[in-house]
Amino acid sequence: DGGITQSPKYLFRKEGQNVTLSCEQNLNHDAMYWYRQDPGQGLRLIYYSQIVNDFQKGDIAEGYSVSREKKESFPLTVTSAQKNPTAFYLCASRPDDGGRQPQHFGDGTRLSIL
Amino acid sequence: QKEVEQDPGPLSVPEGAIVSLNCTYSNSAFQYFMWYRQYSRKGPELLMYTYSSGNKEDGRFTAQVDKSSKYISLFIRDSQPSDSATYLCVQEGDSNYQLIWGAGTKLIIKP
């Protein structure tokens, strides 16, 4: 079955540590996204990528980094510069065929501070 | 100012009832709207994708957009306990990279 796989489901970060969240899709989608979800707030865009080897900052990129070396993969690194990383992180993808296509989501990674 | 507002709930209704979920938006320049359903500890899944005003129906679900009042509604007929989830209202900006998300309404269907 095609879909988006995020791993791990739960992740704990120690003070001063960088952690990487994995996102893999087998939908052959061109565009991929990372969002952060906090209680009582709408999803906020961290980074997005429309094509391999290219990505753009979203609304809250500070303290995060990404790479897009393969079409299928879009890992997110939460760096030690992100002072409030506890949240639910969601990866999404969609075809970029010039038309309006909705985004499809993985099942998220919950990041907590130790 | 770009905002999509939803009542956080929870909204609790008995099984079989008709449910009405609502949200308001502030920017009338953008006319594509979506409803996503999110179960606990899961990612959002698309329910409905609508354009401008009028109704769109899909099974037990009907999405309605009222441009004059900047009001978006999702109706669920014959509600089931499996409909218990958080419903997210989304407005699409001038590209698919600019989605404006509501914070969601938590719905509980009591058996």
mmCIF file of all heavy atoms in Angstrom, chain B residues 48-58 61-66 71 73-75 77:
data_model
loop_
_atom_site.group_PDB
_atom_site.id
_atom_site.type_symbol
_atom_site.label_atom_id
_atom_site.label_comp_id
_atom_site.label_asym_id
_atom_site.label_seq_id
_atom_site.Cartn_x
_atom_site.Cartn_y
_atom_site.Cartn_z
ATOM 1 N N MET B 48 -12.958 16.267 2.752
ATOM 2 C CA MET B 48 -13.642 17.011 1.709
ATOM 3 C C MET B 48 -12.724 18.123 1.205
ATOM 4 O O MET B 48 -11.981 18.718 1.970
ATOM 5 C CB MET B 48 -14.921 17.674 2.242
ATOM 6 C CG MET B 48 -15.910 16.719 2.879
ATOM 7 S SD MET B 48 -16.822 15.787 1.667
ATOM 8 C CE MET B 48 -18.063 16.976 1.201
ATOM 9 N N TYR B 49 -12.850 18.417 -0.099
ATOM 10 C CA TYR B 49 -12.073 19.498 -0.721
ATOM 11 C C TYR B 49 -13.080 20.283 -1.564
ATOM 12 O O TYR B 49 -13.634 19.751 -2.518
ATOM 13 C CB TYR B 49 -10.976 18.886 -1.580
ATOM 14 C CG TYR B 49 -9.920 19.822 -2.099
ATOM 15 C CD1 TYR B 49 -9.855 21.160 -1.748
ATOM 16 C CD2 TYR B 49 -8.931 19.337 -2.965
ATOM 17 C CE1 TYR B 49 -8.867 21.989 -2.237
ATOM 18 C CE2 TYR B 49 -7.927 20.155 -3.450
ATOM 19 C CZ TYR B 49 -7.895 21.479 -3.079
ATOM 20 O OH TYR B 49 -6.891 22.287 -3.549
ATOM 21 N N THR B 50 -13.344 21.530 -1.212
ATOM 22 C CA THR B 50 -14.409 22.281 -1.867
ATOM 23 C C THR B 50 -13.900 23.623 -2.367
ATOM 24 O O THR B 50 -12.909 24.164 -1.872
ATOM 25 C CB THR B 50 -15.585 22.534 -0.906
ATOM 26 O OG1 THR B 50 -15.123 23.344 0.171
ATOM 27 C CG2 THR B 50 -16.119 21.242 -0.349
ATOM 28 N N TYR B 51 -14.625 24.132 -3.342
ATOM 29 C CA TYR B 51 -14.285 25.438 -3.912
ATOM 30 C C TYR B 51 -15.450 26.397 -3.727
ATOM 31 O O TYR B 51 -16.598 26.041 -3.961
ATOM 32 C CB TYR B 51 -13.958 25.313 -5.396
ATOM 33 C CG TYR B 51 -13.808 26.647 -6.087
ATOM 34 C CD1 TYR B 51 -12.677 27.430 -5.872
ATOM 35 C CD2 TYR B 51 -14.808 27.144 -6.921
ATOM 36 C CE1 TYR B 51 -12.536 28.667 -6.479
ATOM 37 C CE2 TYR B 51 -14.662 28.378 -7.536
ATOM 38 C CZ TYR B 51 -13.534 29.139 -7.311
ATOM 39 O OH TYR B 51 -13.404 30.360 -7.914
ATOM 40 N N SER B 52 -15.135 27.588 -3.290
ATOM 41 C CA SER B 52 -16.068 28.710 -3.232
ATOM 42 C C SER B 52 -17.346 28.367 -2.493
ATOM 43 O O SER B 52 -17.331 27.675 -1.494
ATOM 44 C CB SER B 52 -16.337 29.198 -4.645
ATOM 45 O OG SER B 52 -16.949 30.472 -4.594
ATOM 46 N N SER B 53 -18.448 28.847 -2.982
ATOM 47 C CA SER B 53 -19.687 28.708 -2.233
ATOM 48 C C SER B 53 -20.497 27.520 -2.720
ATOM 49 O O SER B 53 -20.206 26.921 -3.745
ATOM 50 C CB SER B 53 -20.506 29.989 -2.368
ATOM 51 O OG SER B 53 -20.735 30.279 -3.735
ATOM 52 N N GLY B 54 -21.507 27.172 -1.942
ATOM 53 C CA GLY B 54 -22.347 26.039 -2.296
ATOM 54 C C GLY B 54 -22.021 24.823 -1.466
ATOM 55 O O GLY B 54 -21.264 24.874 -0.505
ATOM 56 N N ASN B 55 -22.641 23.698 -1.840
ATOM 57 C CA ASN B 55 -22.509 22.450 -1.106
ATOM 58 C C ASN B 55 -21.741 21.414 -1.903
ATOM 59 O O ASN B 55 -21.777 21.400 -3.121
ATOM 60 C CB ASN B 55 -23.897 21.875 -0.795
ATOM 61 C CG ASN B 55 -24.665 22.716 0.191
ATOM 62 O OD1 ASN B 55 -24.180 23.728 0.683
ATOM 63 N ND2 ASN B 55 -25.888 22.326 0.461
ATOM 64 N N LYS B 56 -21.078 20.528 -1.167
ATOM 65 C CA LYS B 56 -20.477 19.340 -1.766
ATOM 66 C C LYS B 56 -20.782 18.165 -0.869
ATOM 67 O O LYS B 56 -20.572 18.256 0.344
ATOM 68 C CB LYS B 56 -18.967 19.507 -1.930
ATOM 69 C CG LYS B 56 -18.318 18.294 -2.584
ATOM 70 C CD LYS B 56 -16.850 18.543 -2.836
ATOM 71 C CE LYS B 56 -16.210 17.339 -3.493
ATOM 72 N NZ LYS B 56 -14.765 17.553 -3.776
ATOM 73 N N GLU B 57 -21.289 17.088 -1.448
ATOM 74 C CA GLU B 57 -21.709 15.941 -0.659
ATOM 75 C C GLU B 57 -20.868 14.724 -1.001
ATOM 76 O O GLU B 57 -20.519 14.483 -2.152
ATOM 77 C CB GLU B 57 -23.186 15.643 -0.947
ATOM 78 C CG GLU B 57 -23.823 14.633 -0.034
ATOM 79 C CD GLU B 57 -25.329 14.549 -0.248
ATOM 80 O OE1 GLU B 57 -25.970 15.587 -0.449
ATOM 81 O OE2 GLU B 57 -25.841 13.418 -0.248
ATOM 82 N N ASP B 58 -20.542 13.939 0.055
ATOM 83 C CA ASP B 58 -19.813 12.687 -0.140
ATOM 84 C C ASP B 58 -20.278 11.723 0.937
ATOM 85 O O ASP B 58 -19.846 11.812 2.082
ATOM 86 C CB ASP B 58 -18.304 12.925 -0.045
ATOM 87 C CG ASP B 58 -17.492 11.671 -0.349
ATOM 88 O OD1 ASP B 58 -18.097 10.614 -0.621
ATOM 89 O OD2 ASP B 58 -16.255 11.752 -0.318
ATOM 90 N N PHE B 61 -21.298 12.861 4.526
ATOM 91 C CA PHE B 61 -20.664 14.158 4.787
ATOM 92 C C PHE B 61 -21.083 15.190 3.734
ATOM 93 O O PHE B 61 -21.112 14.895 2.539
ATOM 94 C CB PHE B 61 -19.133 14.016 4.770
ATOM 95 C CG PHE B 61 -18.598 13.090 5.824
ATOM 96 C CD1 PHE B 61 -18.435 11.738 5.559
ATOM 97 C CD2 PHE B 61 -18.267 13.572 7.081
ATOM 98 C CE1 PHE B 61 -17.956 10.877 6.536
ATOM 99 C CE2 PHE B 61 -17.778 12.717 8.060
ATOM 100 C CZ PHE B 61 -17.625 11.368 7.788
ATOM 101 N N THR B 62 -21.389 16.403 4.215
ATOM 102 C CA THR B 62 -21.695 17.527 3.325
ATOM 103 C C THR B 62 -20.897 18.730 3.789
ATOM 104 O O THR B 62 -20.934 19.084 4.971
ATOM 105 C CB THR B 62 -23.189 17.875 3.352
ATOM 106 O OG1 THR B 62 -23.952 16.743 2.925
ATOM 107 C CG2 THR B 62 -23.482 19.061 2.442
ATOM 108 N N ALA B 63 -20.165 19.330 2.860
ATOM 109 C CA ALA B 63 -19.422 20.559 3.155
ATOM 110 C C ALA B 63 -20.150 21.719 2.514
ATOM 111 O O ALA B 63 -20.643 21.631 1.391
ATOM 112 C CB ALA B 63 -18.000 20.458 2.622
ATOM 113 N N GLN B 64 -20.200 22.820 3.245
ATOM 114 C CA GLN B 64 -20.928 24.005 2.775
ATOM 115 C C GLN B 64 -20.064 25.230 3.004
ATOM 116 O O GLN B 64 -19.461 25.385 4.069
ATOM 117 C CB GLN B 64 -22.230 24.117 3.573
ATOM 118 C CG GLN B 64 -23.192 25.177 3.114
ATOM 119 C CD GLN B 64 -24.471 25.108 3.943
ATOM 120 O OE1 GLN B 64 -24.521 25.572 5.079
ATOM 121 N NE2 GLN B 64 -25.502 24.496 3.371
ATOM 122 N N VAL B 65 -19.997 26.098 2.004
ATOM 123 C CA VAL B 65 -19.251 27.347 2.130
ATOM 124 C C VAL B 65 -20.216 28.501 1.893
ATOM 125 O O VAL B 65 -20.940 28.518 0.899
ATOM 126 C CB VAL B 65 -18.097 27.431 1.113
ATOM 127 C CG1 VAL B 65 -17.354 28.756 1.244
ATOM 128 C CG2 VAL B 65 -17.130 26.262 1.295
ATOM 129 N N ASP B 66 -20.229 29.439 2.811
ATOM 130 C CA ASP B 66 -21.041 30.649 2.683
ATOM 131 C C ASP B 66 -20.095 31.840 2.582
ATOM 132 O O ASP B 66 -19.580 32.316 3.584
ATOM 133 C CB ASP B 66 -21.968 30.781 3.885
ATOM 134 C CG ASP B 66 -22.900 31.976 3.786
ATOM 135 O OD1 ASP B 66 -22.624 32.911 2.991
ATOM 136 O OD2 ASP B 66 -23.913 31.990 4.497
ATOM 137 N N TYR B 71 -18.149 31.691 6.214
ATOM 138 C CA TYR B 71 -18.499 30.626 7.133
ATOM 139 C C TYR B 71 -18.402 29.306 6.387
ATOM 140 O O TYR B 71 -18.886 29.184 5.266
ATOM 141 C CB TYR B 71 -19.939 30.868 7.587
ATOM 142 C CG TYR B 71 -20.332 30.288 8.901
ATOM 143 C CD1 TYR B 71 -19.883 30.872 10.087
ATOM 144 C CD2 TYR B 71 -21.176 29.191 8.965
ATOM 145 C CE1 TYR B 71 -20.274 30.358 11.305
ATOM 146 C CE2 TYR B 71 -21.560 28.670 10.189
ATOM 147 C CZ TYR B 71 -21.124 29.260 11.355
ATOM 148 O OH TYR B 71 -21.510 28.756 12.559
ATOM 149 N N SER B 73 -18.977 25.042 6.834
ATOM 150 C CA SER B 73 -19.616 24.044 7.685
ATOM 151 C C SER B 73 -19.371 22.644 7.140
ATOM 152 O O SER B 73 -19.240 22.444 5.928
ATOM 153 C CB SER B 73 -21.131 24.287 7.742
ATOM 154 O OG SER B 73 -21.418 25.563 8.266
ATOM 155 N N LEU B 74 -19.321 21.701 8.054
ATOM 156 C CA LEU B 74 -19.290 20.279 7.704
ATOM 157 C C LEU B 74 -20.430 19.610 8.455
ATOM 158 O O LEU B 74 -20.510 19.711 9.686
ATOM 159 C CB LEU B 74 -17.957 19.633 8.098
ATOM 160 C CG LEU B 74 -17.853 18.137 7.789
ATOM 161 C CD1 LEU B 74 -17.748 17.914 6.287
ATOM 162 C CD2 LEU B 74 -16.651 17.517 8.502
ATOM 163 N N PHE B 75 -21.323 18.949 7.709
ATOM 164 C CA PHE B 75 -22.436 18.236 8.306
ATOM 165 C C PHE B 75 -22.181 16.737 8.193
ATOM 166 O O PHE B 75 -21.752 16.244 7.143
ATOM 167 C CB PHE B 75 -23.754 18.589 7.605
ATOM 168 C CG PHE B 75 -24.100 20.051 7.687
ATOM 169 C CD1 PHE B 75 -23.785 20.911 6.642
ATOM 170 C CD2 PHE B 75 -24.715 20.578 8.816
ATOM 171 C CE1 PHE B 75 -24.099 22.260 6.717
ATOM 172 C CE2 PHE B 75 -25.014 21.928 8.897
ATOM 173 C CZ PHE B 75 -24.708 22.764 7.848
ATOM 174 N N ARG B 77 -24.240 13.228 8.700
ATOM 175 C CA ARG B 77 -25.538 12.588 8.939
ATOM 176 C C ARG B 77 -25.324 11.220 9.559
ATOM 177 O O ARG B 77 -24.287 10.580 9.356
ATOM 178 C CB ARG B 77 -26.300 12.442 7.619
ATOM 179 C CG ARG B 77 -26.761 13.727 7.017
ATOM 180 C CD ARG B 77 -27.607 13.457 5.768
ATOM 181 N NE ARG B 77 -26.831 12.759 4.751
ATOM 182 C CZ ARG B 77 -25.983 13.371 3.939
ATOM 183 N NH1 ARG B 77 -25.771 14.665 4.039
ATOM 184 N NH2 ARG B 77 -25.316 12.664 3.024
#
